Amino acid sequence: MNIGEIARRAGVSRSTVSYVLSGKRAVSEPTRQRIQAVIDELDYRPNANARALKEGRTRTLGLVIPPASQRLTDMQLGFVASVVEAAARADLDVLLSPSGGDHDRSFERIVTGRRVDGVILMEIRLEDDRVTRLRQSRLPFVTIGRTAEPTGTSWVDVDYEGLIARCVHHLADLGHRHVALVNRSAELVAAGYGPGHRALAGFSHAVAERGLTGVDLCCGDDAPAGEAAMSRLLTTRPEVTAVATINEAALPGVQRALAAEGRLVPRDFSVVGVAAAHWAEDFRPPLSAADVPTLEMGAEAVALLLERIAAPTAAPRHHLYQPPISLRASTAPPPPP
């Protein structure tokens, strides 16, 4: 079934049918209703590829993810799923492309290959060559995360600096004097990974403001790394009575290390952080945490990108998420000396 057959049955020209389908020109209401009745009768659906080709678009968004050699965290997978779902609601496809290491050519093909209408870029570093490259290309893009100087770009991000500071203040209000930050991996922090640096800044400022003793340690994104890091902390800094963390993947290991030392949460040790809700709820007892709204952030990233595609010269917009800390059951006053 094609536009010609619809035009023949409705007794109008092919161009009139096209105007009704595209909405580009006004058509009298009786004529529009007659054409729509034929469209409904034939259950006609415009071919998306043909429409996109005519409009000079691919109807595909690029999503640049960390290299395949690195296992994606649950939060990263949540962002991927939310972007794909939001794109599908807009009748768009998503092309996944790794970047970094041996995958620079894949990223360059996304930028120059005319295979996507715009790009969403994840896992942003403070100084990020990929963002610089996208700026130069004039391909519309949005970042999940932000560089040190994000002016002129559209982005969504979590306020890791503010949220970790609030976690420290919460612990200080409970009476904790010796606290630690369980950050992301040393490799990510050394590479300028934005959340790691901003979390450390928030931790350091809040510790200084409250006159606390603070320890920061890097930790790989998995349970064994969390267990090893926590075991070292308990051995070398026994005075620490609480941790704040942005490393949700390490949480099961943190819990195992505390259990191995006979520390009960929250009676003997408090844990608080920034994490996806399901990680917080799976912790025992449930973790007091600022819940990262991955579904909402992915959908917002897609919406911002569609704005950039539709109006490339419009002022870019951004959204900094500051979810409240949900006080569950993992924090309490420190044990008596």
Side-chain angles (χ1 to χ4, degrees):
M1 190 57 58
N2 56 39
I3 289 178
E5 179 63 16
I6 295 172
R8 186 185 68 79
R9 295 194 183 199
V12 299
S13 66
R14 291 170 60 94
S15 61
T16 302
V17 175
S18 295
Y19 296 151
V20 169
L21 291 172
S22 66
K24 289 184 176 179
R25 287 194 187 180
V27 174
S28 70
E29 186 59 22
T31 301
R32 191 197 67 76
Q33 290 181 357
R34 189 164 73 250
I35 293 171
Q36 188 61 52
V38 175
I39 290 172
D40 294 342
E41 177 188 352
L42 299 177
D43 193 27
Y44 173 76
R45 296 290 182 272
N47 182 279
N49 289 333
R51 185 171 68 246
L53 182 63
K54 185 174 182 179
E55 295 171 353
R57 296 190 290 116
T58 65
R59 298 199 63 78
T60 301
L61 307 180
L63 177 59
V64 180
I65 60 176
S69 59
Q70 299 177 10
R71 184 169 58 87
L72 296 185
T73 67
D74 276 22
M75 189 179 295
Q76 291 167 343
L77 289 172
F79 284 132
V80 172
S82 63
V83 167
V84 170
E85 183 178 332
R89 289 197 296 269
D91 193 26
L92 301 170
D93 296 324
V94 176
L95 176 63
L96 297 181
S97 174
S99 70
D102 296 330
H103 300 287
D104 288 341
R105 286 181 297 177
S106 175
F107 175 67
E108 191 61 25
R109 284 195 297 271
I110 285 284
V111 175
T112 62
R114 300 180 181 273
R115 297 193 289 176
V116 298
D117 298 320
V119 171
I120 294 174
L121 189 62
M122 293 173 50
E123 299 297 284
I124 304 302
R125 297 182 289 273
L126 296 178
E127 302 294 333
D128 202 308
D129 292 340
R130 301 168 303 169
V131 173
T132 302
R133 180 69 184 92
L134 284 166
R135 283 179 182 267
Q136 294 169 343
S137 74
R138 299 188 181 279
L139 182 68
F141 73 95
V142 171
T143 61
I144 299 178
R146 67 195 193 280
T147 61
E149 297 293 339
T151 304
T153 62
S154 292
W155 50 268
V156 297
D157 200 3
V158 174
D159 183 13
Y160 284 100
E161 182 171 353
L163 292 176
I164 286 295
R166 282 161 53 188
C167 288
V168 172
H169 287 300
H170 169 61
L171 295 173
D173 290 342
L174 290 172
H176 293 274
R177 306 302 300 167
H178 305 279
V179 298
L181 171 68
V182 178
N183 208 330
R184 299 289 295 277
S185 72
E187 292 78 11
L188 280 175
V189 174
Y193 179 61
H197 281 261
R198 291 188 173 102
L200 179 56
F203 178 79
S204 300
H205 292 157
V207 163
E209 183 179 343
R210 299 301 292 265
L212 309 181
T213 300
V215 180
D216 63 272
L217 61 153
C218 292
C219 176
D221 293 335
D222 55 42
E227 185 172 7
M230 196 66 195
S231 295
R232 287 194 305 272
L233 177 68
L234 295 174
T235 300
T236 61
R237 301 298 296 265
E239 73 278 12
V240 170
T241 58
V243 298
T245 184
I246 63 167
N247 194 330
E248 60 180 23
L251 283 171
V254 168
Q255 190 160 31
R256 287 203 296 264
L258 288 167
E261 291 291 326
R263 306 278 191 102
L264 292 180
V265 177
R267 187 193 70 183
D268 305 316
F269 202 95
S270 291
V271 184
V272 65
V274 181
H278 80 89
W279 279 108
E281 291 162 358
D282 287 346
F283 197 77
R284 289 295 174 266
L287 183 74
S288 293
D291 301 338
V292 176
T294 53
L295 293 179
E296 184 180 344
M297 290 177 67
E300 180 70 3
V302 171
L304 290 177
L305 182 56
L306 295 182
E307 288 182 10
R308 302 302 301 156
I309 293 169
T313 60
R317 296 195 304 115
H318 62 268
H319 191 153
L320 184 64
Y321 288 81
Q322 299 169 308
I325 296 176
S326 298
L327 297 179
R328 295 184 174 97
S330 65
T331 56

